[in-house]
Amino acid sequence: MNPKKNTKLLALSSFTLALTALSAHAATTWTGAVDADIDDAANWSNGLPSSSNLGTLDNGDTVEMENRSDLDDKYITVSGGSTILVPSGINGFRWGASEINLIAGGNLDSDYTSSTQMGRNGSATLNMYSGSNASFAANLNVGREHIATVNQFGGTMLIGGTLSVPENASGTANGSTYNLSGGSVTANNLLIDPNSSGTNYFNFTTGSTGSLTIVQGNFDFESLIDDGEIRINDNASSLFADFKVDSSVGGQTTLSLIPEPGTYALFAGVCALSAIMLRRRG
């Protein structure tokens, strides 16, 4: 069997298993019995979410952070039109030792006007699936004292400042990645691996249908690819020729993968089958 096909099947299986696990092991559910404070145990059916007490927020409510570390040690799946809101007036936004999963209709909305730090107080993971949305009013730093990971399978990521993998600061851990399999990412700027360790990078997974847009005309993606800071399937020697750069929209540059020949063949086959069915109906 084609090894690339095996890879895609494995990725699909992992995605399905992940969603099943999230659903099957959820142990505490948001009720909002007291107020909108995400860090008040009284607002959850069985205490605060954690790695051993997985949380579910799926009733369309908007919950709020009141302190900058309210997401620390939280494991939460957000869906069904529900939103985790970070108010603009909060004294910082950082999280660690946590995992946030945004699935269909799940939203993470940060109005905080300075840098968001993933991995500040422990490793942090953000998983995004189709139909989800994440927005940051300013910078998003994927990595700080600890490793941080974004796995985007779908949905929309909007960053009003710089996407940095990781933050350029003393004590920053190495090994952080942004993995894009599907959906769209838009940021005003892109900064990769400022400590030059070679272990932090933006990664297009094999067969990715996602796009990365930087709101700058003719942004220099080629240098980042040549330096191994933007990769395909974790390969530090990925080729610029395997990417498509689109500058047709003024003031922005979009990067995506050139579809594999098999993808074109599949699309052509679907079109041909549709044409046959239409003729038969006629």
Side-chain angles (χ1 to χ4, degrees):
M1 182 178 287
N2 188 328
K4 290 185 177 180
K5 186 175 181 181
N6 276 335
T7 301
K8 292 179 180 178
L9 290 174
L10 180 60
L12 180 60
S13 299
S14 299
F15 170 74
T16 303
L17 288 173
L19 291 182
T20 302
L22 291 173
S23 174
H25 297 96
T28 188
T29 303
W30 173 264
T31 64
V34 177
D35 52 27
D37 184 0
I38 195 172
D39 200 41
D40 188 338
N43 285 317
W44 295 88
S45 64
N46 189 33
L48 291 175
S50 67
S51 59
S52 58
N53 190 35
L54 305 186
T56 299
L57 171 61
D58 62 2
N59 56 5
D61 282 353
T62 295
V63 305
E64 293 189 11
M65 291 177 58
E66 296 189 358
N67 296 293
R68 64 183 182 180
S69 299
D70 277 352
L71 287 188
D72 282 3
D73 305 310
K74 302 290 195 307
Y75 284 67
I76 305 174
T77 297
V78 187
S79 64
S82 302
T83 301
I84 295 177
L85 174 65
V86 185
S88 59
I90 201 168
N91 183 25
F93 180 22
R94 56 186 64 172
W95 84 84
S98 69
E99 180 175 293
I100 304 301
N101 300 283
L102 304 178
I103 59 177
N107 307 288
L108 173 60
D109 182 5
S110 175
D111 295 332
Y112 177 54
T113 55
S114 190
S115 296
T116 294
Q117 299 175 1
M118 291 183 63
R120 181 62 187 262
N121 303 314
S123 298
T125 300
L126 173 63
N127 297 315
M128 296 180 61
Y129 299 95
S130 179
S132 67
N133 296 279
S135 64
F136 298 85
N139 304 331
L140 173 62
N141 301 325
V142 182
R144 186 60 166 86
E145 281 99 341
H146 301 269
I147 292 172
T149 306
V150 177
N151 298 308
Q152 186 174 353
F153 301 97
T156 302
M157 168 72 80
L158 296 175
I159 301 167
T162 297
L163 170 59
S164 175
V165 188
E167 181 180 18
N168 188 9
S170 60
T172 299
N174 293 314
S176 295
T177 55
Y178 194 120
N179 299 302
L180 182 62
S181 299
S184 63
V185 186
T186 302
N188 286 353
N189 197 12
L190 180 65
L191 179 63
I192 304 292
D193 200 31
N195 293 332
S196 301
S197 69
T199 62
N200 310 288
Y201 51 92
F202 190 101
N203 183 52
F204 285 80
T205 62
T206 300
S208 173
T209 59
S211 63
L212 169 62
T213 297
I214 303 301
V215 187
Q216 297 180 30
N218 298 312
F219 183 79
D220 185 13
F221 282 118
E222 186 171 5
S223 293
L224 294 175
I225 295 167
D226 290 344
D227 290 342
E229 295 171 349
I230 295 179
R231 306 180 182 183
I232 301 173
N233 195 31
D234 304 304
N235 181 7
S237 300
S238 299
L239 301 177
F240 180 64
D242 291 328
F243 291 89
K244 175 185 177 183
V245 177
D246 183 358
S247 299
S248 60
V249 177
Q252 67 182 44
T253 311
T254 298
L255 184 71
S256 59
L257 291 187
I258 296 174
E260 299 172 2
T263 304
Y264 287 118
L266 177 61
F267 180 73
V270 170
C271 291
L273 180 59
S274 299
I276 292 173
M277 293 179 66
L278 288 173
R279 283 199 298 269
R280 286 180 176 177
R281 288 180 181 178

